[in-house]
Amino acid sequence: MRKSLYAIAPIALLLMAASGTAQASASGKIDITGNVSHGTCDVKMSHPALNLGNYTASDFPSTAKTAVAGSERSFSVSLENCTLSATAPVAGVAGLIVTGPTLPLDADVFNANDAATTGVQLKAGATVISANDKVDMVEFEGAAGGGTDANVADINGQTQTFTAALVANTGTPASITGGLVSTPIMFMYDYN
């Protein structure tokens, strides 16, 4: 019996040490997001990632927030497997809400590094998209407004093409910071 206790003692010490390590932090944080809507759709991306290429500060135009030539890349976002609740209003707009980290004071230049002077400019057609903008895809006026009621068949398969490009928030090459430009951009379905 004594031999088995000696054999178990090191294991018990390791378990006690491991449980003490797991509680090293006095607090923790998790970011949780969600959306409540009158309908739902799966958001499908044409590409899981885009590489805009490698450029030098002198490649950036002298006008701030102008795309670097050759850095533009297109991708599309579509709505699939849509449903509408029985309480969905007959009038509304189905679309995408765009979110992501941006440079301070530049809600239309996406970059996870808020100390940078460069980032990604996102456009839907000719319209520059800022964080938290809604990009409308389908509008329903409802029968009372002379239009048609919301219909899942009209929302399913809707696609919006976006263009991403590198830009700087300054037109002075000496002020352009180097480094990796990286940003997660989220597209969330919305119907209201």
Side-chain angles (χ1 to χ4, degrees):
M1 177 74 170
R2 227 180 227 178
K3 287 184 180 180
S4 62
L5 285 176
Y6 288 123
I8 296 174
I11 295 171
L13 285 173
L14 284 173
L15 288 174
M16 288 190 301
S19 68
T21 306
Q23 298 175 5
S25 178
S27 65
K29 178 186 176 217
I30 184 171
D31 293 323
I32 299 174
T33 60
N35 186 38
V36 178
S37 178
H38 289 291
T40 62
C41 286
D42 293 337
V43 177
K44 182 179 176 186
M45 310 295 290
S46 63
H47 302 307
L50 288 179
N51 184 339
L52 303 182
N54 296 308
Y55 301 91
T56 66
S58 61
D59 292 327
F60 285 80
S62 59
T63 305
K65 297 185 185 178
T66 302
V68 173
S71 72
E72 299 93 348
R73 303 286 187 277
S74 294
F75 64 97
S76 61
V77 181
S78 59
L79 303 176
E80 307 290 336
N81 302 317
C82 299
T83 61
L84 288 177
S85 72
T87 59
V90 293
V93 178
L96 299 165
I97 296 175
V98 181
T99 62
T102 60
L103 299 182
L105 306 177
D106 284 306
D108 58 349
V109 180
F110 293 87
N111 194 340
N113 177 0
D114 63 4
T117 58
T118 58
V120 175
Q121 182 183 70
L122 194 62
K123 288 185 178 181
T127 304
V128 175
I129 305 300
S130 295
N132 301 313
D133 278 357
K134 181 176 178 183
V135 178
D136 297 342
M137 295 174 79
V138 181
E139 182 174 357
F140 300 95
E141 293 183 18
T148 59
D149 291 346
N151 185 325
V152 169
D154 294 329
I155 300 172
N156 264 327
Q158 286 291 321
T159 301
Q160 176 66 53
T161 300
F162 292 90
T163 303
L166 287 176
V167 298
N169 65 357
T170 176
T172 308
S175 300
I176 294 174
T177 57
L180 179 68
V181 174
S182 177
T183 185
I185 298 177
M186 178 182 272
F187 298 87
M188 191 167 39
Y189 170 77
D190 182 64
Y191 178 86
N192 64 359

